[in-house]
Amino acid sequence: MEEGVGGRELVGYTAGVFDMLHVGHVRLLERARERCDRLVVGVTTDELCERRKHKTPIVPYADRAAVLRSLRCVDEVVLQRHMNRIDAWERLRFGVTFVGDDWQGTASWLGYEERFARLGVEVVYFPYTGGVSSTLLRSRLEHAAAA
């Protein structure tokens, strides 16, 4: 584990919807926690999910946040009302941020990398866990309900 600047605690941050928590979510959170002293997780509000993904989470925000709070690897859960990671940094002052590698190379994350470099924040991409996703689980539920 890396140490924060001047021996201070290294705070890590990641965010997501975390609808229908699955092994991919857990692996990302565990790996993130191994790389920092304190892991803060932003959980997307139902409203933001509806605006961004045009779908309502199956599990409501309060329940998703409660499940994440129960995980040993999560130290704090905060609301994610918008997608701006710099705004999150201004509130939380994390030293490292974690994201799935499906975002690597995208215009938004190339911009974040540049801005975070100037702030001394490391961006860490973790491999996407193949074969499992909330979208896949939702599809299976919809298929089973239709049968």
Side-chain angles (χ1 to χ4, degrees), residues 15-21 25 29 41-50 53 55-71 74 77-80 134 138:
V17 178
F18 300 102
D19 197 17
M20 296 183 287
L21 191 70
H25 293 137
L29 295 169
V41 178
V43 178
T44 303
T45 64
D46 296 346
E47 296 78 17
L48 177 58
C49 186
E50 290 165 2
K53 296 187 173 195
K55 58 187 171 187
T56 302
I58 296 204
V59 179
Y61 169 82
D63 294 348
R64 291 181 281 124
V67 169
L68 287 167
R69 279 188 198 98
S70 75
L71 298 177
V74 175
V77 172
V78 297
L79 278 167
Q80 178 180 267
S134 295
R138 178 187 288 262

Side-chain angles (χ1 to χ4, degrees), residues 6 12 14-15 17 20 28-29 33 35 37 43 48 50 52 57 65 86 97 107-108 112 127-128 138-139 141 143:
T14 193
V17 178
M20 296 183 287
L28 181 139
L29 295 169
R33 184 60 177 80
R35 303 274 308 257
D37 298 310
V43 178
L48 177 58
E50 290 165 2
R52 295 265 310 158
I86 300 298
T97 189
S108 60
Y112 283 136
Y128 189 80
R138 178 187 288 262
S139 174
L141 286 173
H143 181 72

